């Protein structure tokens, strides 16, 4: 099954964007009369038949729609980007395949990068969703200062955690998180959070957690967080 992505779908007809049309016609060699699957990224799967296969603008007719239920938990990862954009793109691809809901790029005191092209990350997310047959596109938020996250009232009902390196951690994320919850997890930069930031997080109601005995790279920590919470809720 190949999955295509198109926003703002209004049945019974779907017109694919040029990139999707080109992939459908020239890479997969689909033709008029073939059936394909399309998602709007908001939880709906459309089973369609090709009316016109054109590399610049393919037209589909919707035969059947299916609504996919939302998860009964919500994973929001707030992470300081790595110095290397490639490592962040790798992480985004993998956590999309595993399954998360929101990603915020954090600017912290020790951040090595305060700018990252989110359009490339968005393309990675969409590509990974199509590859792993997911019908909901996770939300990607541009850079936010750590203080903005700590002071936001949006997360009052969330289980809030901050993961950082500390030899005295006695609470593992997998043991601390409760199932079927909304989670907000902070992961710091390669130089970790500043002690002042950690204290501010505590004051804002965040609980300190460990991700294991090994010291993890930033992008590995982000991947570990998503995998643990998915495992907890499955």
């Amino acid at each position: 099954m190949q999955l295509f992505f198109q926003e703002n779908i209004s049945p019974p007809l779907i017109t694919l964007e040029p990139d999707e049309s080109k992939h459908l016609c020239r890479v997969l060699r689909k033709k008029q009369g073939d059936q394909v699957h399309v998602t709007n990224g908001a939880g709906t799967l459309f089973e369609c038949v090709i009316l016109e296969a054109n590399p610049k603008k393919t037209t589909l007719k919707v035969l059947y729609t299916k609504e996919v239920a939302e998860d009964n938990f919500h994973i929001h990862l707030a992470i300081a980007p790595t110095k290397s954009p490639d490592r962040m793109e790798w992480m985004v691809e993998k956590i999309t395949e595993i399954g998360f809901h929101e990603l915020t790029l954090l600017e912290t005191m020790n951040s090595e990068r305060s700018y990252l092209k989110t359009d490339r990350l968005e393309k990675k997310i969409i590509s990974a969703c199509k590859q792993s047959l997911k019908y909901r596109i996770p939300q990607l938020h541009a850079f936010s200062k750590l203080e903005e996250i700590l002071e936001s009232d949006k997360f009052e009902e969330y289980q809030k955690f901050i993961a950082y390196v500390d030899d005295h951690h006695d609470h593992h994320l997998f043991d601390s998180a409760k199932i079927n919850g909304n989670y907000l997890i902070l992961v710091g930069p390669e130089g970790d959070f500043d002690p002042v930031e950690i204290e501010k997080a505590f004051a804002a109601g965040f609980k300190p957690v460990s991700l294991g005995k090994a010291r993890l790279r930033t992008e590995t920590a982000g991947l570990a967080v998503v995998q643990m919470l998915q495992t907890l809720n499955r």
Side-chain angles (χ1 to χ4, degrees):
M1 173 181 172
Q2 283 96 22
L3 184 65
F4 296 87
F5 170 69
Q6 181 64 50
E7 291 182 296
N8 304 320
I9 293 176
S10 299
L13 298 181
I14 298 175
T15 301
L16 293 181
E17 297 290 342
D19 286 347
E20 295 289 73
S21 295
K22 182 178 179 180
H23 184 71
L24 180 145
C25 296
R26 294 184 176 172
V27 178
L28 299 177
R29 301 186 183 279
K30 297 291 185 180
K31 301 176 182 178
Q32 181 179 354
D34 289 345
Q35 292 190 7
V36 296
H37 296 84
V38 183
T39 182
N40 59 359
T44 306
L45 176 66
F46 300 86
E47 185 176 329
C48 309
V49 63
I50 300 175
L51 296 182
E52 180 185 1
N54 186 309
K56 294 184 178 180
K57 187 175 69 173
T58 292
T59 304
L60 313 173
K61 180 181 179 181
V62 177
L63 302 176
Y64 173 78
T65 62
K66 176 183 178 182
E67 295 296 330
V68 180
E70 292 193 50
D71 291 325
N72 56 0
F73 60 97
H74 190 91
I75 301 173
H76 188 150
L77 174 65
I79 188 169
T82 58
K83 187 175 182 180
S84 168
D86 291 344
R87 285 162 56 186
M88 282 302 295
E89 290 176 12
W90 175 87
M91 184 204 75
V92 165
E93 179 181 76
K94 299 311 174 189
I95 65 173
T96 302
E97 292 177 14
I98 295 170
F100 77 103
H101 304 88
E102 289 188 72
L103 174 66
T104 295
L105 304 179
L106 275 185
E107 182 178 348
T108 69
M109 293 173 65
N110 294 330
S111 289
E112 294 190 287
R113 177 175 288 276
S114 59
Y115 175 77
L116 192 63
K117 291 183 178 180
T118 55
D119 56 341
R120 284 185 58 87
L121 294 182
E122 287 172 350
K123 289 180 180 179
K124 287 288 185 181
I125 288 174
I126 292 173
S127 177
C129 281
K130 293 192 294 182
Q131 176 67 33
S132 54
L133 302 181
K134 296 184 183 300
Y135 311 135
R136 293 187 182 277
I137 306 296
Q139 294 183 355
L140 174 62
H141 304 289
F143 272 89
S144 295
K145 293 183 179 297
L146 177 62
E147 288 76 11
E148 295 173 351
I149 299 293
L150 299 182
E151 296 171 1
S152 174
D153 57 6
K154 173 184 176 182
F155 307 109
E156 288 183 0
E157 303 300 321
Y158 278 61
Q159 298 178 44
K160 299 184 290 186
F161 304 102
I162 179 170
Y164 61 95
V165 177
D166 188 339
D167 294 335
H168 303 292
H169 269 318
D170 55 3
H171 297 289
H172 195 282
L173 174 61
F174 192 81
D175 299 321
S176 300
K178 299 178 181 179
I179 64 170
N180 299 335
N182 295 330
Y183 314 101
L184 172 61
I185 304 90
L186 307 180
V187 174
E190 295 168 1
D192 214 341
F193 291 108
D194 186 269
V196 172
E197 294 175 319
I198 295 173
E199 290 300 323
K200 288 182 177 179
F202 291 167
F206 285 78
K207 297 179 180 179
V209 288
S210 166
L211 302 180
K213 295 181 179 179
R215 179 173 295 188
L216 305 179
R217 290 178 179 267
T218 298
E219 71 275 16
T220 310
L223 178 61
V225 164
V226 172
Q227 179 62 68
M228 287 178 196
L229 294 177
Q230 279 286 354
T231 302
L232 178 68
N233 285 280
R234 294 305 187 211

